[in-house]
Amino acid sequence: MPSRIFHARLEDLPKETTFEGTYQRTGVVSDHALFAFAWVDAGFGADWAEDEPFPNMHSHEHDQLMVQIRGEQEMVVGDEQISLRAGEVLYIPSRVLHGGRPVGDEPTFLIEAFAPIRTDYLYIAEHQLSVGAPERLSDGSRVDTKSKREAMSQVLSDSGLPSLR
């Protein structure tokens, strides 16, 4: 997929905001993994009953590694309850049921790595994947204004084939 260097300030990357504004994330893709950076407000999950299962329990085909940078999360992974604190890592194997929420009044910040690449999350890394692409129009489409020769040379260059003469 990417096979090219990507460099940016994390705070400058566009973020997706969900769950009534309590969760933001952005992403970066490598050749074999997707990295999600998530900011979670203390209010995320605050209305969940203490004695009921988390409504965000899920599993997926991807290995997941979580790195808790700031704050703390209460996690359920399989049959285990885990307090994930700043400076700790948590590996969640493929297909294991899991979910979590912040603990306390402090917002959290974490990094999640998914391998292989979660294609359903590629949209959070569009800023990286669309580098060099024409700007989007208001309807979301793109119009490439390069000449046929320039466009074909780029296609051949990206494919590793010899360029046009």
Side-chain angles (χ1 to χ4, degrees):
M1 198 169 286
S3 287
R4 74 169 84 154
I5 294 170
F6 178 76
H7 177 242
R9 289 181 48 83
L10 184 59
E11 66 186 46
D12 294 339
L13 297 179
K15 296 176 184 75
E16 169 192 45
T17 302
T18 61
F19 301 108
E20 298 176 350
T22 60
Y23 186 95
Q24 289 186 315
R25 71 177 166 200
T26 191
V28 174
V29 182
S30 71
D31 287 343
H32 304 286
L34 180 132
F35 300 87
F37 303 87
W39 296 261
V40 186
D41 289 348
F44 178 90
D47 56 345
W48 301 350
E50 290 285 330
D51 58 342
E52 292 183 28
F54 292 168
N56 69 345
M57 294 295 287
H58 65 284
S59 67
H60 40 73
E61 296 295 313
H62 310 84
D63 285 344
Q64 181 175 353
L65 181 74
M66 298 175 69
V67 182
Q68 191 73 33
I69 304 298
R70 184 178 63 229
E72 179 181 347
Q73 289 195 79
E74 175 184 11
M75 299 290 303
V76 174
V77 181
D79 294 332
E80 294 187 52
Q81 291 190 336
I82 298 168
S83 290
L84 186 61
R85 295 178 178 92
E88 295 182 345
V89 288
L90 173 62
Y91 167 63
I92 304 169
S94 171
R95 296 183 216 92
V96 173
L97 193 63
H98 61 281
R101 67 176 167 198
V103 172
D105 297 330
E106 182 182 357
T108 68
F109 174 62
L110 62 136
I111 301 170
E112 300 174 292
F114 297 96
I117 294 169
R118 280 195 70 159
T119 55
D120 58 327
Y121 279 11
L122 284 176
Y123 71 95
I124 67 171
E126 182 184 17
H127 52 270
Q128 173 193 6
L129 298 173
S130 65
V131 168
E135 292 295 316
R136 286 198 183 274
L137 302 177
S138 60
D139 67 356
S141 62
R142 300 179 193 268
V143 177
D144 190 345
T145 58
K146 290 194 269 325
S147 70
K148 291 178 191 175
R149 184 175 213 55
E150 289 171 319
M152 188 52 71
S153 290
Q154 181 178 350
V155 168
L156 292 171
S157 171
D158 290 347
S159 69
L161 297 172
S163 61
L164 293 174
R165 298 174 215 254

